[in-house]
Amino acid sequence: MQIRYKKRAVKYIVSCDMQTKQRLKNCIERLPLGDVVKLQGFVAEYRLRVGNLRVLFTYEDDIITINDISPRGQVYKGL
């Protein structure tokens, strides 16, 4: 399984403190395990809950693309 990151997700990860970066890294490496829910109204969009953060990703053809990482209240506004 291959994991790709969009520019928006990388930008958020870089802005985080070291502890948050480590939590995100551990959870993303374990995908598709964890608190993963398919988003309604989308074909291949999923979200991963990491504490107060949400990781939006797509899963197609054994490739996981991390689209966005944001706090819970803000992540769904951009959809």
Short mmCIF file of all heavy atoms in Angstrom, two decimals, residues 7-71:
data_model
loop_
_atom_site.label_atom_id
_atom_site.label_comp_id
_atom_site.label_asym_id
_atom_site.label_seq_id
_atom_site.Cartn_x
_atom_site.Cartn_y
_atom_site.Cartn_z
N LYS A 7 -0.45 18.76 -1.04
CA LYS A 7 0.27 19.91 -0.52
C LYS A 7 -0.40 20.48 0.73
O LYS A 7 0.26 20.88 1.69
CB LYS A 7 0.36 20.97 -1.61
CG LYS A 7 1.17 22.17 -1.24
CD LYS A 7 1.26 23.13 -2.40
CE LYS A 7 2.07 24.35 -2.03
NZ LYS A 7 2.17 25.30 -3.15
N ARG A 8 -1.72 20.51 0.73
CA ARG A 8 -2.48 21.06 1.85
C ARG A 8 -2.22 20.26 3.15
O ARG A 8 -2.08 20.83 4.24
CB ARG A 8 -3.96 21.01 1.48
CG ARG A 8 -4.86 21.71 2.40
CD ARG A 8 -6.26 21.61 1.87
NE ARG A 8 -7.03 22.76 2.26
CZ ARG A 8 -8.27 22.98 1.93
NH1 ARG A 8 -8.90 22.13 1.16
NH2 ARG A 8 -8.90 24.04 2.34
N ALA A 9 -2.15 18.93 3.03
CA ALA A 9 -1.90 18.09 4.20
C ALA A 9 -0.47 18.27 4.71
O ALA A 9 -0.25 18.36 5.93
CB ALA A 9 -2.16 16.63 3.85
N VAL A 10 0.48 18.34 3.80
CA VAL A 10 1.87 18.53 4.21
C VAL A 10 2.05 19.86 4.92
O VAL A 10 2.76 19.96 5.92
CB VAL A 10 2.81 18.44 2.97
CG1 VAL A 10 4.23 18.81 3.34
CG2 VAL A 10 2.76 17.04 2.38
N LYS A 11 1.39 20.88 4.43
CA LYS A 11 1.47 22.21 5.03
C LYS A 11 0.98 22.19 6.48
O LYS A 11 1.58 22.80 7.37
CB LYS A 11 0.65 23.20 4.21
CG LYS A 11 0.81 24.63 4.60
CD LYS A 11 0.06 25.54 3.65
CE LYS A 11 0.19 26.98 4.04
NZ LYS A 11 -0.51 27.87 3.11
N TYR A 12 -0.11 21.45 6.75
CA TYR A 12 -0.61 21.36 8.12
C TYR A 12 0.34 20.57 9.01
O TYR A 12 0.59 20.95 10.16
CB TYR A 12 -2.01 20.73 8.16
CG TYR A 12 -2.60 20.78 9.53
CD1 TYR A 12 -3.23 21.93 9.99
CD2 TYR A 12 -2.46 19.71 10.41
CE1 TYR A 12 -3.73 22.01 11.28
CE2 TYR A 12 -2.96 19.78 11.70
CZ TYR A 12 -3.59 20.92 12.13
OH TYR A 12 -4.08 21.00 13.40
N ILE A 13 0.86 19.47 8.50
CA ILE A 13 1.77 18.63 9.29
C ILE A 13 3.01 19.43 9.69
O ILE A 13 3.47 19.36 10.83
CB ILE A 13 2.15 17.35 8.51
CG1 ILE A 13 0.93 16.44 8.39
CG2 ILE A 13 3.29 16.62 9.21
CD1 ILE A 13 1.14 15.24 7.50
N VAL A 14 3.56 20.20 8.77
CA VAL A 14 4.75 21.00 9.06
C VAL A 14 4.48 22.02 10.15
O VAL A 14 5.35 22.31 10.98
CB VAL A 14 5.26 21.69 7.76
CG1 VAL A 14 6.32 22.73 8.06
CG2 VAL A 14 5.79 20.64 6.80
N SER A 15 3.25 22.54 10.22
CA SER A 15 2.93 23.57 11.21
C SER A 15 2.66 23.01 12.61
O SER A 15 2.55 23.77 13.55
CB SER A 15 1.72 24.38 10.75
OG SER A 15 0.54 23.60 10.84
N CYS A 16 2.56 21.70 12.74
CA CYS A 16 2.24 21.07 14.03
C CYS A 16 3.48 20.92 14.91
O CYS A 16 4.61 20.91 14.42
CB CYS A 16 1.64 19.68 13.80
SG CYS A 16 0.03 19.71 13.05
N ASP A 17 3.24 20.73 16.22
CA ASP A 17 4.34 20.45 17.13
C ASP A 17 4.76 18.98 16.97
O ASP A 17 4.08 18.19 16.33
CB ASP A 17 3.93 20.75 18.58
CG ASP A 17 2.73 19.93 19.01
OD1 ASP A 17 2.92 18.77 19.40
OD2 ASP A 17 1.60 20.46 18.93
N MET A 18 5.88 18.63 17.56
CA MET A 18 6.47 17.31 17.35
C MET A 18 5.56 16.18 17.86
O MET A 18 5.45 15.14 17.22
CB MET A 18 7.83 17.23 18.05
CG MET A 18 8.61 16.01 17.66
SD MET A 18 8.83 15.94 15.87
CE MET A 18 10.51 16.34 15.75
N GLN A 19 4.90 16.37 18.98
CA GLN A 19 4.03 15.33 19.53
C GLN A 19 2.85 15.06 18.59
O GLN A 19 2.49 13.92 18.35
CB GLN A 19 3.53 15.74 20.91
CG GLN A 19 2.66 14.69 21.56
CD GLN A 19 2.15 15.15 22.92
OE1 GLN A 19 2.34 16.28 23.32
NE2 GLN A 19 1.51 14.24 23.62
N THR A 20 2.25 16.11 18.03
CA THR A 20 1.13 15.95 17.11
C THR A 20 1.59 15.29 15.82
O THR A 20 0.89 14.44 15.27
CB THR A 20 0.48 17.31 16.82
OG1 THR A 20 0.11 17.91 18.06
CG2 THR A 20 -0.75 17.16 15.95
N LYS A 21 2.76 15.67 15.33
CA LYS A 21 3.31 15.05 14.13
C LYS A 21 3.46 13.54 14.32
O LYS A 21 3.13 12.76 13.44
CB LYS A 21 4.67 15.65 13.78
CG LYS A 21 4.61 17.03 13.20
CD LYS A 21 6.01 17.52 12.89
CE LYS A 21 6.00 18.97 12.47
NZ LYS A 21 7.34 19.48 12.20
N GLN A 22 3.96 13.15 15.48
CA GLN A 22 4.17 11.73 15.77
C GLN A 22 2.84 10.98 15.84
O GLN A 22 2.72 9.88 15.30
CB GLN A 22 4.95 11.57 17.08
CG GLN A 22 5.41 10.17 17.33
CD GLN A 22 6.41 9.69 16.29
OE1 GLN A 22 7.23 10.45 15.81
NE2 GLN A 22 6.32 8.43 15.93
N ARG A 23 1.82 11.58 16.47
CA ARG A 23 0.50 10.95 16.54
C ARG A 23 -0.09 10.77 15.15
O ARG A 23 -0.65 9.72 14.82
CB ARG A 23 -0.44 11.78 17.40
CG ARG A 23 -0.18 11.68 18.87
CD ARG A 23 -1.13 12.53 19.69
NE ARG A 23 -2.50 12.14 19.44
CZ ARG A 23 -3.54 12.95 19.57
NH1 ARG A 23 -3.36 14.20 19.91
NH2 ARG A 23 -4.75 12.52 19.35
N LEU A 24 0.01 11.81 14.33
CA LEU A 24 -0.51 11.73 12.96
C LEU A 24 0.22 10.66 12.16
O LEU A 24 -0.39 9.86 11.46
CB LEU A 24 -0.38 13.08 12.26
CG LEU A 24 -1.37 14.16 12.68
CD1 LEU A 24 -0.96 15.51 12.11
CD2 LEU A 24 -2.78 13.79 12.24
N LYS A 25 1.55 10.64 12.28
CA LYS A 25 2.36 9.65 11.55
C LYS A 25 1.96 8.23 11.93
O LYS A 25 1.76 7.38 11.06
CB LYS A 25 3.83 9.89 11.84
CG LYS A 25 4.75 8.91 11.16
CD LYS A 25 6.19 9.18 11.53
CE LYS A 25 7.09 8.15 10.95
NZ LYS A 25 7.63 7.23 11.90
N ASN A 26 1.83 7.97 13.22
CA ASN A 26 1.47 6.63 13.68
C ASN A 26 0.10 6.20 13.16
O ASN A 26 -0.09 5.07 12.72
CB ASN A 26 1.49 6.56 15.20
CG ASN A 26 2.89 6.64 15.75
OD1 ASN A 26 3.85 6.37 15.06
ND2 ASN A 26 3.00 7.04 17.00
N CYS A 27 -0.87 7.10 13.21
CA CYS A 27 -2.22 6.76 12.77
C CYS A 27 -2.31 6.60 11.26
O CYS A 27 -3.01 5.71 10.77
CB CYS A 27 -3.21 7.84 13.23
SG CYS A 27 -3.45 7.83 15.01
N ILE A 28 -1.62 7.44 10.52
CA ILE A 28 -1.66 7.34 9.06
C ILE A 28 -0.97 6.07 8.58
O ILE A 28 -1.43 5.42 7.64
CB ILE A 28 -1.05 8.60 8.42
CG1 ILE A 28 -1.99 9.80 8.65
CG2 ILE A 28 -0.80 8.41 6.94
CD1 ILE A 28 -1.42 11.13 8.24
N GLU A 29 0.11 5.67 9.23
CA GLU A 29 0.81 4.45 8.84
C GLU A 29 -0.04 3.20 9.06
O GLU A 29 0.15 2.20 8.38
CB GLU A 29 2.13 4.32 9.59
CG GLU A 29 3.19 5.27 9.11
CD GLU A 29 4.47 5.17 9.91
OE1 GLU A 29 4.48 4.49 10.97
OE2 GLU A 29 5.46 5.78 9.48
N ARG A 30 -0.97 3.24 10.00
CA ARG A 30 -1.81 2.08 10.29
C ARG A 30 -3.07 2.02 9.43
O ARG A 30 -3.88 1.12 9.59
CB ARG A 30 -2.21 2.07 11.76
CG ARG A 30 -1.05 1.77 12.67
CD ARG A 30 -1.50 1.63 14.09
NE ARG A 30 -1.92 2.96 14.57
CZ ARG A 30 -2.78 3.14 15.55
NH1 ARG A 30 -3.32 2.11 16.15
NH2 ARG A 30 -3.10 4.36 15.94
N LEU A 31 -3.28 3.01 8.55
CA LEU A 31 -4.47 3.00 7.69
C LEU A 31 -4.53 1.71 6.89
O LEU A 31 -3.50 1.21 6.49
CB LEU A 31 -4.45 4.20 6.73
CG LEU A 31 -4.88 5.53 7.32
CD1 LEU A 31 -4.68 6.64 6.31
CD2 LEU A 31 -6.33 5.50 7.75
N PRO A 32 -5.66 1.15 6.64
CA PRO A 32 -7.02 1.59 6.88
C PRO A 32 -7.59 1.22 8.24
O PRO A 32 -8.79 1.30 8.43
CB PRO A 32 -7.80 0.90 5.77
CG PRO A 32 -7.07 -0.37 5.54
CD PRO A 32 -5.61 -0.02 5.78
N LEU A 33 -6.73 0.85 9.20
CA LEU A 33 -7.20 0.57 10.56
C LEU A 33 -7.39 1.89 11.31
O LEU A 33 -6.88 2.92 10.92
CB LEU A 33 -6.19 -0.30 11.30
CG LEU A 33 -5.91 -1.66 10.67
CD1 LEU A 33 -4.82 -2.38 11.44
CD2 LEU A 33 -7.17 -2.50 10.62
N GLY A 34 -8.10 1.85 12.39
CA GLY A 34 -8.34 3.05 13.19
C GLY A 34 -9.79 3.47 13.10
O GLY A 34 -10.65 2.75 12.61
N ASP A 35 -10.07 4.67 13.55
CA ASP A 35 -11.43 5.22 13.53
C ASP A 35 -11.69 5.83 12.15
O ASP A 35 -11.66 7.04 11.97
CB ASP A 35 -11.59 6.26 14.63
CG ASP A 35 -13.03 6.73 14.77
OD1 ASP A 35 -13.90 6.19 14.06
OD2 ASP A 35 -13.28 7.62 15.58
N VAL A 36 -11.95 4.98 11.16
CA VAL A 36 -12.15 5.40 9.77
C VAL A 36 -13.64 5.28 9.44
O VAL A 36 -14.26 4.27 9.72
CB VAL A 36 -11.33 4.52 8.80
CG1 VAL A 36 -11.64 4.89 7.36
CG2 VAL A 36 -9.85 4.67 9.09
N VAL A 37 -14.19 6.35 8.83
CA VAL A 37 -15.59 6.37 8.43
C VAL A 37 -15.66 6.89 7.00
O VAL A 37 -14.98 7.86 6.65
CB VAL A 37 -16.42 7.29 9.37
CG1 VAL A 37 -17.84 7.42 8.88
CG2 VAL A 37 -16.39 6.76 10.78
N LYS A 38 -16.49 6.24 6.18
CA LYS A 38 -16.71 6.70 4.81
C LYS A 38 -17.60 7.93 4.85
O LYS A 38 -18.59 7.98 5.56
CB LYS A 38 -17.38 5.62 3.98
CG LYS A 38 -17.52 5.97 2.53
CD LYS A 38 -18.10 4.80 1.76
CE LYS A 38 -18.14 5.02 0.28
NZ LYS A 38 -18.54 6.30 -0.16
N LEU A 39 -17.23 8.97 4.09
CA LEU A 39 -18.01 10.20 4.05
C LEU A 39 -19.23 10.02 3.15
O LEU A 39 -19.11 9.49 2.04
CB LEU A 39 -17.16 11.36 3.54
CG LEU A 39 -16.00 11.78 4.43
CD1 LEU A 39 -15.23 12.91 3.78
CD2 LEU A 39 -16.48 12.18 5.79
N GLN A 40 -20.37 10.46 3.61
CA GLN A 40 -21.60 10.33 2.84
C GLN A 40 -21.59 11.30 1.67
O GLN A 40 -21.12 12.43 1.79
CB GLN A 40 -22.80 10.62 3.72
CG GLN A 40 -23.01 9.60 4.81
CD GLN A 40 -24.22 9.91 5.66
OE1 GLN A 40 -24.86 10.94 5.50
NE2 GLN A 40 -24.55 9.01 6.56
N GLY A 41 -22.09 10.84 0.54
CA GLY A 41 -22.17 11.68 -0.65
C GLY A 41 -20.92 11.65 -1.51
O GLY A 41 -20.86 12.34 -2.51
N PHE A 42 -19.91 10.89 -1.13
CA PHE A 42 -18.68 10.79 -1.89
C PHE A 42 -18.42 9.33 -2.23
O PHE A 42 -18.82 8.43 -1.50
CB PHE A 42 -17.49 11.34 -1.09
CG PHE A 42 -17.60 12.81 -0.81
CD1 PHE A 42 -18.14 13.26 0.38
CD2 PHE A 42 -17.15 13.73 -1.74
CE1 PHE A 42 -18.24 14.61 0.64
CE2 PHE A 42 -17.24 15.08 -1.49
CZ PHE A 42 -17.79 15.53 -0.29
N VAL A 43 -17.72 9.11 -3.33
CA VAL A 43 -17.48 7.74 -3.80
C VAL A 43 -16.37 7.06 -3.00
O VAL A 43 -16.54 5.97 -2.50
CB VAL A 43 -17.12 7.75 -5.30
CG1 VAL A 43 -16.80 6.35 -5.78
CG2 VAL A 43 -18.27 8.34 -6.10
N ALA A 44 -15.22 7.71 -2.87
CA ALA A 44 -14.08 7.06 -2.23
C ALA A 44 -13.43 7.94 -1.17
O ALA A 44 -12.24 7.85 -0.93
CB ALA A 44 -13.05 6.68 -3.30
N GLU A 45 -14.18 8.81 -0.54
CA GLU A 45 -13.65 9.71 0.48
C GLU A 45 -13.89 9.13 1.88
O GLU A 45 -14.99 8.67 2.18
CB GLU A 45 -14.32 11.09 0.41
CG GLU A 45 -13.92 11.90 -0.78
CD GLU A 45 -12.62 12.65 -0.57
OE1 GLU A 45 -12.26 12.93 0.60
OE2 GLU A 45 -11.96 12.93 -1.57
N TYR A 46 -12.86 9.18 2.70
CA TYR A 46 -12.93 8.67 4.06
C TYR A 46 -12.33 9.70 5.00
O TYR A 46 -11.61 10.59 4.58
CB TYR A 46 -12.15 7.36 4.20
CG TYR A 46 -12.68 6.26 3.33
CD1 TYR A 46 -12.25 6.11 2.02
CD2 TYR A 46 -13.61 5.36 3.82
CE1 TYR A 46 -12.73 5.08 1.22
CE2 TYR A 46 -14.10 4.33 3.04
CZ TYR A 46 -13.66 4.21 1.74
OH TYR A 46 -14.14 3.20 0.95
N ARG A 47 -12.61 9.54 6.29
CA ARG A 47 -11.98 10.38 7.31
C ARG A 47 -11.44 9.50 8.42
O ARG A 47 -12.00 8.45 8.74
CB ARG A 47 -12.94 11.44 7.84
CG ARG A 47 -14.04 10.92 8.74
CD ARG A 47 -13.71 11.22 10.19
NE ARG A 47 -14.84 10.88 11.03
CZ ARG A 47 -14.81 9.96 11.99
NH1 ARG A 47 -13.72 9.29 12.22
NH2 ARG A 47 -15.86 9.70 12.72
N LEU A 48 -10.33 9.93 8.95
CA LEU A 48 -9.68 9.27 10.08
C LEU A 48 -9.68 10.25 11.23
O LEU A 48 -9.29 11.40 11.07
CB LEU A 48 -8.25 8.88 9.72
CG LEU A 48 -7.36 8.41 10.86
CD1 LEU A 48 -7.84 7.07 11.41
CD2 LEU A 48 -5.92 8.31 10.40
N ARG A 49 -10.15 9.81 12.38
CA ARG A 49 -10.17 10.67 13.57
C ARG A 49 -8.89 10.43 14.37
O ARG A 49 -8.56 9.30 14.73
CB ARG A 49 -11.38 10.34 14.44
CG ARG A 49 -11.52 11.27 15.64
CD ARG A 49 -12.77 10.96 16.43
NE ARG A 49 -12.73 9.67 17.06
CZ ARG A 49 -12.19 9.42 18.26
NH1 ARG A 49 -11.67 10.38 18.96
NH2 ARG A 49 -12.20 8.20 18.76
N VAL A 50 -8.18 11.51 14.65
CA VAL A 50 -6.97 11.47 15.48
C VAL A 50 -7.15 12.54 16.55
O VAL A 50 -6.77 13.69 16.37
CB VAL A 50 -5.70 11.75 14.65
CG1 VAL A 50 -4.47 11.65 15.53
CG2 VAL A 50 -5.60 10.82 13.47
N GLY A 51 -7.81 12.18 17.63
CA GLY A 51 -8.11 13.14 18.68
C GLY A 51 -9.08 14.20 18.17
O GLY A 51 -10.17 13.88 17.68
N ASN A 52 -8.69 15.46 18.22
CA ASN A 52 -9.53 16.55 17.74
C ASN A 52 -9.31 16.83 16.25
O ASN A 52 -9.99 17.65 15.66
CB ASN A 52 -9.24 17.82 18.55
CG ASN A 52 -10.27 18.90 18.30
OD1 ASN A 52 -11.44 18.60 18.09
ND2 ASN A 52 -9.83 20.13 18.31
N LEU A 53 -8.36 16.13 15.64
CA LEU A 53 -8.04 16.34 14.23
C LEU A 53 -8.76 15.32 13.35
O LEU A 53 -9.07 14.21 13.79
CB LEU A 53 -6.54 16.22 13.99
CG LEU A 53 -5.66 17.22 14.71
CD1 LEU A 53 -4.20 16.89 14.49
CD2 LEU A 53 -5.96 18.62 14.22
N ARG A 54 -9.00 15.72 12.11
CA ARG A 54 -9.59 14.82 11.11
C ARG A 54 -8.67 14.78 9.90
O ARG A 54 -8.22 15.81 9.41
CB ARG A 54 -10.98 15.29 10.67
CG ARG A 54 -11.99 15.39 11.79
CD ARG A 54 -12.24 14.03 12.44
NE ARG A 54 -13.26 14.09 13.46
CZ ARG A 54 -13.04 14.19 14.76
NH1 ARG A 54 -11.82 14.28 15.21
NH2 ARG A 54 -14.03 14.20 15.61
N VAL A 55 -8.40 13.56 9.44
CA VAL A 55 -7.58 13.35 8.26
C VAL A 55 -8.51 12.87 7.15
O VAL A 55 -9.10 11.80 7.26
CB VAL A 55 -6.48 12.30 8.53
CG1 VAL A 55 -5.65 12.06 7.29
CG2 VAL A 55 -5.61 12.72 9.70
N LEU A 56 -8.65 13.66 6.10
CA LEU A 56 -9.48 13.27 4.97
C LEU A 56 -8.60 12.61 3.92
O LEU A 56 -7.55 13.15 3.56
CB LEU A 56 -10.18 14.49 4.35
CG LEU A 56 -11.14 15.24 5.27
CD1 LEU A 56 -11.77 16.40 4.50
CD2 LEU A 56 -12.21 14.33 5.82
N PHE A 57 -9.02 11.44 3.46
CA PHE A 57 -8.21 10.72 2.48
C PHE A 57 -9.09 9.94 1.52
O PHE A 57 -10.27 9.71 1.78
CB PHE A 57 -7.22 9.78 3.18
CG PHE A 57 -7.84 8.64 3.92
CD1 PHE A 57 -7.97 7.40 3.33
CD2 PHE A 57 -8.29 8.79 5.22
CE1 PHE A 57 -8.55 6.33 4.02
CE2 PHE A 57 -8.84 7.75 5.92
CZ PHE A 57 -8.98 6.51 5.31
N THR A 58 -8.49 9.58 0.39
CA THR A 58 -9.16 8.72 -0.59
C THR A 58 -8.38 7.42 -0.64
O THR A 58 -7.16 7.39 -0.43
CB THR A 58 -9.20 9.36 -1.99
OG1 THR A 58 -7.87 9.69 -2.39
CG2 THR A 58 -10.05 10.61 -2.00
N TYR A 59 -9.10 6.33 -0.94
CA TYR A 59 -8.49 5.01 -1.00
C TYR A 59 -8.93 4.36 -2.31
O TYR A 59 -10.07 3.93 -2.43
CB TYR A 59 -8.92 4.18 0.21
CG TYR A 59 -8.30 2.81 0.27
CD1 TYR A 59 -6.93 2.67 0.42
CD2 TYR A 59 -9.08 1.66 0.19
CE1 TYR A 59 -6.35 1.41 0.48
CE2 TYR A 59 -8.51 0.41 0.26
CZ TYR A 59 -7.15 0.28 0.40
OH TYR A 59 -6.58 -0.95 0.45
N GLU A 60 -8.02 4.33 -3.28
CA GLU A 60 -8.33 3.76 -4.58
C GLU A 60 -7.12 2.99 -5.09
O GLU A 60 -5.99 3.48 -5.04
CB GLU A 60 -8.69 4.84 -5.59
CG GLU A 60 -9.95 5.61 -5.24
CD GLU A 60 -10.26 6.67 -6.27
OE1 GLU A 60 -9.71 7.77 -6.15
OE2 GLU A 60 -11.03 6.35 -7.18
N ASP A 61 -7.35 1.80 -5.61
CA ASP A 61 -6.31 0.98 -6.25
C ASP A 61 -5.08 0.82 -5.38
O ASP A 61 -3.95 0.96 -5.83
CB ASP A 61 -5.91 1.59 -7.60
CG ASP A 61 -7.08 1.70 -8.55
OD1 ASP A 61 -7.95 0.82 -8.50
OD2 ASP A 61 -7.12 2.66 -9.35
N ASP A 62 -5.28 0.52 -4.09
CA ASP A 62 -4.20 0.28 -3.14
C ASP A 62 -3.31 1.51 -2.93
O ASP A 62 -2.16 1.39 -2.55
CB ASP A 62 -3.37 -0.93 -3.57
CG ASP A 62 -2.84 -1.69 -2.38
OD1 ASP A 62 -3.49 -1.67 -1.32
OD2 ASP A 62 -1.76 -2.30 -2.49
N ILE A 63 -3.84 2.70 -3.22
CA ILE A 63 -3.13 3.96 -2.99
C ILE A 63 -3.99 4.83 -2.08
O ILE A 63 -5.15 5.10 -2.38
CB ILE A 63 -2.85 4.70 -4.31
CG1 ILE A 63 -1.93 3.89 -5.21
CG2 ILE A 63 -2.23 6.07 -4.03
CD1 ILE A 63 -1.73 4.49 -6.58
N ILE A 64 -3.41 5.27 -0.98
CA ILE A 64 -4.09 6.18 -0.06
C ILE A 64 -3.53 7.57 -0.30
O ILE A 64 -2.32 7.78 -0.24
CB ILE A 64 -3.87 5.75 1.40
CG1 ILE A 64 -4.54 4.41 1.66
CG2 ILE A 64 -4.39 6.81 2.36
CD1 ILE A 64 -4.31 3.85 3.03
N THR A 65 -4.43 8.51 -0.59
CA THR A 65 -4.02 9.90 -0.81
C THR A 65 -4.58 10.75 0.32
O THR A 65 -5.80 10.86 0.47
CB THR A 65 -4.55 10.42 -2.16
OG1 THR A 65 -4.11 9.55 -3.20
CG2 THR A 65 -4.06 11.82 -2.43
N ILE A 66 -3.70 11.32 1.12
CA ILE A 66 -4.09 12.19 2.23
C ILE A 66 -4.39 13.57 1.63
O ILE A 66 -3.49 14.25 1.15
CB ILE A 66 -2.99 12.30 3.30
CG1 ILE A 66 -2.53 10.91 3.76
CG2 ILE A 66 -3.46 13.16 4.46
CD1 ILE A 66 -3.58 10.07 4.42
N ASN A 67 -5.66 13.97 1.64
CA ASN A 67 -6.08 15.22 1.01
C ASN A 67 -5.99 16.42 1.94
O ASN A 67 -5.57 17.49 1.53
CB ASN A 67 -7.51 15.10 0.49
CG ASN A 67 -7.63 14.04 -0.57
OD1 ASN A 67 -6.75 13.90 -1.41
ND2 ASN A 67 -8.70 13.29 -0.53
N ASP A 68 -6.39 16.25 3.20
CA ASP A 68 -6.44 17.39 4.10
C ASP A 68 -6.39 16.91 5.54
O ASP A 68 -6.86 15.82 5.86
CB ASP A 68 -7.74 18.19 3.87
CG ASP A 68 -7.74 19.54 4.54
OD1 ASP A 68 -6.68 19.99 5.01
OD2 ASP A 68 -8.81 20.16 4.59
N ILE A 69 -5.81 17.74 6.40
CA ILE A 69 -5.78 17.50 7.84
C ILE A 69 -6.16 18.82 8.50
O ILE A 69 -5.53 19.85 8.22
CB ILE A 69 -4.39 17.05 8.33
CG1 ILE A 69 -3.96 15.79 7.59
CG2 ILE A 69 -4.40 16.84 9.83
CD1 ILE A 69 -2.52 15.40 7.85
N SER A 70 -7.18 18.81 9.32
CA SER A 70 -7.65 20.03 9.98
C SER A 70 -8.34 19.67 11.29
O SER A 70 -8.71 18.52 11.51
CB SER A 70 -8.65 20.77 9.10
OG SER A 70 -8.04 21.26 7.95
N PRO A 71 -8.55 20.68 12.15
CA PRO A 71 -9.35 20.45 13.36
C PRO A 71 -10.78 20.06 12.99
O PRO A 71 -11.27 20.39 11.91
CB PRO A 71 -9.32 21.80 14.08
CG PRO A 71 -8.11 22.47 13.56
CD PRO A 71 -7.95 22.00 12.15
#
